[in-house]
Every structure is written in C-alpha cells, then in structure tokens.
Amino acid sequence: MAVFDRSAAPPLMTLKLTAGSFHKLSALLTLAVLILVFSFGNAAFFSVNNGLTVLLQTSVIGLLGIGMTLVIITGGIDLSVGSVLALSGTITGLSIKAGVPVAPAMMLGVLTGAACGAFNGFVITKMRITPFVATLGMMLIARGIALQLTGAAPISRLGETFGILGNGSLFRIVEDTGGIFPKVVFPGIPYPAILLVVVALLAAYLLNRRQTGRHIYATGSNEEAARLSGVLVDRTKIFAYTLSGALAGLAGNVLMSRLVTVQPNEGVMYELDAIAAAVIGGASLMGGVGNISGTMIGAFIIGVLRNGLNMAGVSAFIQQIVIGFIVILAVYVDQIRNRR
Amino acid sequence: MTPHTPSETPLVQMIDIEKHFGGIRAVNGVSLDLYPGEVVGVLGHNGAGKSCLMRILSGAMLPNEGSIRVNGETAEIHNPHDARDLGIETIYQTLALADHLNAPSNLFLGRELKTRLGNLDDHKMMSETVRILKRLNPNFKNLTDPVSSLSGGQRQVIAIARAIYFDVKILIMDEPTAALGPSETAMVGKLIKQLRSEGIGILLVSHDMHDVFELCDRVIVMNKGQNVGSHPIEDVTKDDVLSLIIKGELPHDWVPRSQEKPQ
Ligand SMILES: Nc1ncnc2c1ncn2[C@@H]1O[C@H](COP(=O)(O)OP(=O)(O)OP(=O)(O)O)[C@@H](O)[C@H]1O
Ligand SMILES: [Mg+2]
C-alpha cells in the first residue's frame, strides 16, 4: 500500500503531522469507532461474511468516489455520475439484448460513461460553463436518455455471464457435502472488491507518480499559475471528467451485474455519496487537496454506516437522515480546515 | 557605452503593441527593443501598463495589435508554452505558484523531471531544487512544505529559481524583489549581473530607483499605456526619470547627461 501513504503535497512526506494526514487519521478513527459500535450491537456484523458484503456494497461508491476525487482536486465537481452510471448500464444491457457478447457490451457501457465525462469536460473548458451547472445538465441528459431508451422499464434475462462481474468471487472454496447446498468454506473475494482495489491503486499511482496527477493538483491549486507554468489546464480537466465518467460507467456495470438486471432508475443521488466519500476523506471542494486513500476511508465510512444501520434494523429513511448529517459535518470539517 | 552595437540584431523587438480592456487602453502602441546582455528597466506609475506589456511577451496575455520578433524573426506567442520554447522566462508579479504544492513541484511545474519509466522523479527534482536554491538563499528550508506556508520572500525566491533554472535567453522580471529582504535583494542583483554577462537579455520592472540605476543599462518609461522614453542610464538622472514617470516628459532643460559639458 506504499503508493497510498501520501498526502496532497507530494513528494517526500515528512513525519510531521500535516493537516492532510490529521484529517485522514480522524476519518480512520471514525471508521474504527463505527465498526466497534456496530460489532457490539450485533455479533454478526463483525464476521468475514459481512465484511465481504460491506466490501461489495462499498465498491460502487468507491469507484464513483475515485473519479469524483480527481474532479474535486481540479477544483470542480461531477453531479452526473449517478445518471451516467444508469446510462452506461442501460447501454450494456441493450447491447447484450442486441446480441453483443457480455465483455464487449460492458466495454461499450464504460465507453459511454467516458463519452459523457468528456462531454462534461468539453462544456466546462471550452464553453466555460461552471462544473456545477455543466454536470447538472449531464445529470438530467444521461438519466433522460437511459429512461427514454428503456421506456423506464428494467431489462432482465441478460444471461448468467452478465452476473459474473457483480456476483463472482476469487478463491471461493466450497466443500461438496453431497446435499443440495454445498458447504461454503470461504466465500471468496468478490470481483467488485478486487476491481475497487486495482482501480484505487492505479488512481493513487496516477495522482502521485505521474505528471498528469501533478497537473491535476496544480490546476485545482491555482489554475492561472498552472496555465502560466505551461500546464495544459483544459486538457487536464477534460481528462479528469472523462475518467470520472468512465469510472461511473464501470460502477454502473458492477451494480447492474450484481442485480443481473439493468435498472434505468438506479444510481439516483449516488453522486452525493461519492462527493461525501471524497470530502470525508479530506478532499477540499476548493480544489488542490484530496487523495485516494482518504476517499477509500470515506467510502467505507458510508458503506459501514449503511450496512450497520441496516443490520440494526434502522429504516432507510433514518439512514438518509444520518448520512445527510454526516455530509454536512464533513463539509464543515473541510471549511474549518480551510479557515486555519 | 551601451553594451550593443547598432548592427546587432535585437533579442526581442515588440512592435506597436496594443492591449485594450473594454474602454481601458492598458497598452497603447508600445514598441520596445532588447539586446543580448542588456538589462532594461521598465518603469512607470501604478497601472501604467508595465505588467500587461510583460505578460504579452511571456504569452500570458494576447495583444489586440502589434507583433513580436525574437532574434529578428517573427515570433508567434499564443501561450506561455510558446514563450518558454523561445527561451523567454518570466517572474510574474503575482509569482504564479500553486499553493498546495511544495517548492520542487512548483519549480518544475509543467516541466517535470521523469524517470526512464515516465514516472515523476521527485528525488532528482528535490536535489536540483536544493542546489539552485542554495545559490539564491543559503538558509532555505521547508522544501517539503506546501508553498502556501512559506513567507512572501521565500515564495519569490522559488519564482526566481524557476525562471533561471531552465535554458533562459530572455528574462522578464516583474518586480522580483518587492518582497525580499536586503540580503536576498543583493543576491538577486548579483544574479542579474551574472546573467547579463552570460548574454541574457533582461527586462526588469521595478519601482526602486536605486536598483534601477545600479543594475540597468537602459530605462524605458511607460505612462498611461505609452512608451514615453527610452534612454541609456548614463543619459538620465533620477529626477529626469521621475519627471518621465509622473509628467510623461523630460524636464524642459534636459540634455543627455553624457553629452553635458562639465562646467
Ligand atoms: N485582466 C485585466 N482586465 C481588465 N483590466 C486590466 C487587466 N489587467 C490590467 N488591466 C488594466 O490595465 C492597466 C495596466 O495594468 P498593469 O497591470 O499593466 O499596470 P502596471 O504598470 O503593471 O502597474 P503596477 O505598477 O501597479 O504593477 C490598469 O489600468 C489595469 O486596471
Ligand atoms: Mg505590474
């Protein structure tokens, strides 16, 4: 996890407790406290099985959160990821129905997401529309297309292969007991969790070790300075939005694959979870600050909270209220940090 | 006693440059020459258009009218990238630093050093930064901190280091010593003299008469967007220059000081 342990100010982190690492530490502590509290409340919470469930549930927010982090570091925001997720899944589903094999169909879905993101980037940089408005527009456009294409009806009977990405797992060990249900020795590591880890590592590598990553930070830190230093600011932004769109497409495929059904209504308000994950993890909506490890912690805080409240029998309505407060709290923390 | 002969091609020629902002004529038909190994002071009151003229040469701003020649050839400068490719380096009045990044990241911003695999070579960038900053300020520390936590003078030193590290031929310094202490200012003076001896042309925007008379070979005075005078430094006194800055003209009884007969 070496690439993970870097904060907003690359390179060569000192051992000093910077504002960034302090924020990350407090987020990590929050996560630990949540896990502890839920484990006391329900013994089943702290089990391998439930751990893997949380991992699975967090993968979608996590993937969206990674793209959101890149965009937020450039000083922008992407409100369209929830809708793009639905549109990408829809394109994959329709392609499969049209006879395209599953893997290329999923690729098409991800490309659709990337195209939506590129469009966002284009509108923001070339038409000079603020990210909030541009991606709000895309949020409506992508959702509208998904609903129009499907007549708002789910697409089912997509075949078993379509379900592998969301439901399969690596190193699954089952023991044949001769009965109807074989005994599951180890449930395996879900593919979505593996995907999340791989994408997170790649994104952290991009941000910390590559020129593009450095330019993403510079653009969000001081756009004019970056431009004067020869950074291709527009290209950097378009890149970030395109990646965010592509990851929304990937998340859409994971989610719909898990349901083995394409739901054009899926992903409503997911953008807010993604923003919350990034902000809880220390990303600043002012730009220039944020990192992948923080966002992962943020995504897990939301995932654990949802899962734990579910197991405790708290209604979905109350869950919304709790998460709403957490979002406000996270942004408040962000502001306090900026005021210092 | 100008350091150039008339036959020499100027390093830079800015010809009839105009820049308007709505009704404001920030730069109003200004021409300017700069020769190799020459330090030209660009003076004028606040808002006279000095920074605009400099930003046009460094590609940060596009002129409405006018052309630029570098080494006698027409230069198309559409963005800072183009200017850098021509060897034009700039220390902006606003410094243009990315606050959240540390000193090495800022120094190499847009021109990052990379390893063979294309990764950022942060170790090399750090050691190079240490090397160059030692020259400007031996006490420079905090190289790993974001530059937002540095003092104004330290930030200025980074901006200066960034301009001279790469292969500079034309150096634009827009009030480079405004935030510096006396010893750092002296260091910059020494640096200017050294760069000039290497044949680099320098445009120095400054309000500090003492620095101007100490360092410049020639002064150009801007007044309300116009170039109201270009004089070898030995032809003018501080009072002459002040008159140009404030009234836009030389004193009525002025004769070039180098031609003045000692009484
Ligand atoms: N981006 C801009 N938009 C509108 N007006 C501008 C812009 N930049 C400069 N100006 C105007 O152009 C004029 C010249 O400004 P400039 O910054 O070149 O002055 P200056 O000579 O550098 O002054 P100072 O000594 O204060 O740095 C001013 O009237 C300023 O208000
Ligand atoms: Mg100025």
Side-chain angles (χ1 to χ4, degrees):
Chain A
M1 300 282 270
V3 262
F4 265 10
D5 298 328
R6 282 163 179 278
S7 85
L12 303 181
M13 286 317 298
T14 44
L15 286 172
K16 237 186 309 181
L17 201 60
T18 60
S21 57
F22 178 79
H23 188 104
K24 200 181 293 177
L25 216 64
S26 59
L28 208 53
L29 209 68
T30 310
L31 184 59
V33 168
L34 280 178
I35 292 173
L36 211 67
V37 168
F38 286 134
S39 302
F40 269 115
N42 188 340
F45 177 85
F46 200 76
S47 63
V48 175
N49 263 323
N50 194 50
L52 293 173
T53 306
V54 172
L55 215 55
L56 193 64
Q57 287 170 347
T58 306
S59 58
V60 171
I61 305 173
L63 288 172
L64 295 178
I66 290 166
M68 190 65 73
T69 303
L70 299 181
V71 166
I72 286 179
I73 294 172
T74 68
I77 193 119
D78 189 350
L79 298 178
S80 68
V81 292
S83 297
V84 169
L85 169 151
L87 178 59
S88 299
T90 300
I91 296 296
T92 302
L94 290 175
S95 306
I96 292 172
K97 280 289 180 198
V100 180
V102 169
M106 286 187 161
M107 215 78 92
L108 271 177
V110 174
L111 281 178
T112 304
C116 292
F119 184 83
N120 281 335
F122 179 83
V123 171
I124 289 160
T125 56
K126 305 301 174 197
M127 292 170 67
R128 300 188 179 281
I129 308 281
T130 58
F132 190 94
V133 175
T135 58
L136 185 71
M138 177 54 71
M139 176 179 168
L140 297 170
I141 294 167
R143 179 71 62 189
I145 296 174
L147 292 172
Q148 180 66 32
L149 286 175
T150 56
I155 309 170
S156 49
R157 282 196 293 275
L158 287 163
E160 230 173 83
T161 349
F162 180 63
I164 292 177
L165 177 64
N167 299 294
S169 51
L170 197 64
F171 304 133
R172 185 180 169 85
I173 304 167
V174 273
E175 203 173 87
D176 200 351
T177 51
I180 309 167
F181 296 111
K183 187 172 169 247
V184 177
V185 180
F186 180 66
I189 308 162
Y191 286 145
I194 296 170
L195 198 63
L196 177 65
V197 170
V198 170
V199 170
L201 286 172
L202 285 175
Y205 167 71
L206 173 86
L207 275 180
N208 296 315
R209 309 293 320 141
R210 304 298 295 190
Q211 191 176 36
T212 309
R214 183 70 41 92
H215 289 181
I216 286 175
Y217 279 110
T219 298
S221 181
N222 185 340
E223 187 171 333
E224 174 70 356
R227 194 175 72 86
L228 294 177
S229 305
V231 172
L232 300 171
V233 169
D234 285 0
R235 197 191 285 181
T236 304
K237 285 189 189 175
I238 292 173
F239 175 82
Y241 285 94
T242 305
L243 211 57
S244 177
L247 288 177
L250 192 60
N253 276 285
V254 168
L255 184 63
M256 312 274 179
S257 166
R258 199 161 83 211
L259 306 168
V260 208
T261 311
V262 164
Q263 296 275 8
N265 284 313
E266 266 297 340
V268 175
M269 298 215 289
Y270 275 30
E271 55 278 347
L272 300 185
D273 276 2
I275 294 167
V279 171
I280 292 170
S284 162
L285 294 171
M286 311 293 286
V289 181
N291 56 78
I292 300 300
S293 53
T295 300
M296 289 299 100
I297 296 169
F300 274 99
I301 286 179
I302 296 175
V304 163
L305 206 62
R306 282 252 161 81
N307 176 274
L309 292 175
N310 259 336
M311 290 184 83
V314 176
S315 81
F317 308 139
I318 306 277
Q319 286 183 32
Q320 265 196 31
I321 297 171
V322 171
I323 294 184
F325 275 114
I326 298 246
V327 169
I328 293 174
L329 195 72
V331 176
Y332 183 61
V333 170
D334 180 45
Q335 274 182 7
I336 291 177
R337 189 164 40 115
N338 279 323
R339 232 179 277 151
R340 286 196 311 163
Chain B
M1 206 198 77
T2 43
H4 55 88
T5 51
S7 61
E8 205 175 1
T9 351
L11 207 47
V12 176
Q13 289 168 283
M14 296 181 81
I15 304 155
D16 297 329
I17 302 290
E18 299 206 11
K19 179 69 193 179
H20 314 153
F21 296 102
I24 302 172
R25 291 174 173 272
V27 181
N28 197 0
V30 173
S31 297
L32 171 161
D33 288 349
L34 176 69
Y35 288 84
E38 189 186 28
V39 182
V40 172
V42 179
L43 292 90
H45 55 77
N46 291 122
K50 307 180 295 291
S51 292
C52 284
L53 191 66
M54 297 303 110
R55 288 169 69 86
I56 286 167
L57 182 56
S58 60
M61 193 182 261
L62 291 176
N64 297 101
E65 295 290 336
S67 59
I68 298 172
R69 288 164 167 269
V70 174
N71 290 319
E73 285 170 40
T74 306
E76 298 289 342
I77 302 176
H78 297 297
N79 54 49
H81 227 115
D82 293 344
R84 281 184 164 188
D85 286 346
L86 290 164
I88 302 172
E89 293 285 340
T90 312
I91 300 158
Y92 293 96
Q93 192 170 10
T94 55
L95 302 186
L97 300 175
D99 277 347
H100 300 93
L101 301 183
N102 60 21
S105 300
N106 266 292
L107 210 149
F108 288 94
L109 188 56
R111 296 182 279 203
E112 287 81 358
L113 302 181
K114 292 182 207 158
T115 62
R116 253 181 304 133
L117 296 173
N119 292 329
L120 292 171
D121 195 345
D122 280 323
H123 283 284
K124 181 91 185 292
M125 288 194 262
M126 176 60 81
S127 59
E128 287 296 285
T129 305
V130 169
R131 194 172 62 77
I132 182 102
L133 286 186
K134 241 187 215 142
R135 223 175 115 187
L136 294 166
N137 179 352
N139 306 316
F140 207 104
K141 292 185 188 80
N142 332 83
L143 285 175
T144 53
D145 293 350
V147 297
S148 58
S149 67
L150 302 183
S151 75
Q154 290 174 317
R155 293 163 60 88
Q156 204 143 31
V157 166
I158 294 169
I160 294 170
R162 175 168 64 178
I164 60 168
Y165 177 81
F166 299 92
D167 190 20
V168 54
K169 297 191 181 64
I170 299 151
L171 180 60
I172 302 169
M173 307 174 96
D174 198 346
E175 304 193 30
T177 57
L180 295 187
S183 66
E184 285 84 0
T185 302
M187 202 77 75
V188 172
K190 228 189 269 171
L191 181 76
I192 289 175
K193 284 177 185 157
Q194 188 195 328
L195 292 171
R196 174 222 218 176
S197 72
E198 291 168 13
I200 289 159
I202 299 175
L203 289 167
L204 174 66
V205 178
S206 178
H207 290 287
D208 189 320
M209 284 296 167
H210 177 79
D211 283 357
V212 167
F213 275 81
E214 160 112 9
L215 299 168
C216 298
D217 302 302
R218 187 155 58 92
V219 288
I220 284 176
V221 180
M222 289 189 71
N223 186 297
K224 297 183 185 127
Q226 286 177 318
N227 180 349
V228 292
S230 165
H231 301 280
I233 199 76
E234 56 274 2
D235 279 357
V236 283
T237 60
K238 284 181 190 173
D239 286 339
D240 297 339
V241 172
L242 278 174
S243 168
L244 274 170
I245 291 173
I246 297 162
K247 290 192 281 189
E249 55 188 27
L250 285 162
H252 295 300
D253 54 354
W254 179 79
V255 278
R257 293 255 295 166
S258 54
Q259 289 162 32
E260 234 173 17
K261 300 260 152 51
Q263 312 245 301

